[in-house]
């Protein structure tokens, strides 16, 4: 939605919107996810970890740096979400070929998945818009919206990633 672009334009520099905010270290998320995968842990414990370390480190804890750290990790999760989505979508295409052999009346799985993801994006945007509104125009609105985007995107990535394995 339009406010997302505004929040990111105000709270995030162009470099950080592309995931290159120097205070954010993407290896923190990568290592956390790998450790949870190998150890059978809960990958949802990784959500927000990189942003928290970013805030505690070089970036500092101002609203602007908070938003930048959250947005940088959100972009990291969004990139991973797009990868997971592509994998699951391909699996659904292959499944659909076999499914049509069983019963041609079944809905096309990859079309249903695309519709599901589009509906999820709309839900995420509205949920984070609602979160932003709770700040009634205060300076915490941008960072709160960025944190919302991070959390919901991460959870959707984990959901799709689990389906794609």
């Amino acid at each position: 939605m339009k406010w997302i672009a505004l929040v990111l334009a105000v709270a995030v520099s162009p470099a950080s919107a592309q995931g290159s905010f120097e205070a954010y270290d993407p290896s923190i998320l990568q290592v956390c996810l790998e450790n949870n995968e190998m150890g059978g842990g809960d990958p949802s414990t990784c959500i927000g970890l990189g942003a928290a370390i970013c805030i505690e480190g070089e970036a500092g804890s101002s609203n602007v740096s908070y938003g930048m750290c959250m947005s940088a990790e959100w972009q990291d999760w969004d990139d991973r979400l797009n990868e997971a989505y592509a994998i699951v979508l391909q699996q659904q295409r292959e499944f659909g070929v076999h499914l049509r052999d069983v019963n041609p009346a079944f809905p096309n799985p990859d079309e249903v998945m695309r519709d599901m993801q589009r509906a999820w994006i709309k839900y995420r945007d509205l949920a984070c818009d609602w979160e932003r509104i709770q700040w009634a125009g205060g300076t915490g609105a941008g960072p709160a919206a960025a944190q919302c985007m991070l959390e919901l995107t991460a959870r959707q990535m984990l959901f799709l990633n689990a389906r794609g394995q």
Side-chain angles (χ1 to χ4, degrees), residues 70-130:
M70 289 293 167
S71 294
E73 184 174 334
W74 165 56
Q75 185 61 54
D76 198 349
W77 283 104
D78 193 55
D79 292 344
R80 293 168 188 278
L81 172 65
N82 290 329
E83 291 172 16
Y85 175 78
I87 291 168
V88 176
L89 184 62
Q90 182 58 40
Q91 290 172 343
Q92 292 304 295
R93 284 187 184 123
E94 294 167 8
F95 176 58
V97 170
H98 301 296
L99 189 59
R100 282 187 289 283
D101 290 341
V102 173
N103 185 343
F106 278 130
N108 187 335
D110 60 311
E111 288 176 11
V112 172
M113 184 183 170
R114 266 193 302 274
D115 291 345
M116 177 214 49
Q117 189 66 6
R118 288 176 183 149
W120 172 81
I121 290 168
K122 188 171 187 166
Y123 164 78
R124 180 203 60 195
D125 291 350
L126 289 170
C128 294
D129 194 26
W130 181 79

Side-chain angles (χ1 to χ4, degrees), residues 27-51:
S27 68
I28 293 169
L29 177 56
Q30 181 66 35
V31 168
C32 183
L33 290 171
E34 287 172 0
N35 286 342
N36 276 288
E37 185 176 310
M38 291 186 311
D42 179 3
S44 69
T45 61
C46 300
I47 299 171
L49 180 63

Side-chain angles (χ1 to χ4, degrees), residues 5-27:
L6 177 62
V7 166
L8 293 177
V10 171
V12 182
S13 70
S16 65
Q18 297 171 2
S20 62
F21 179 52
E22 290 179 19
Y24 174 76
D25 182 358
S27 68

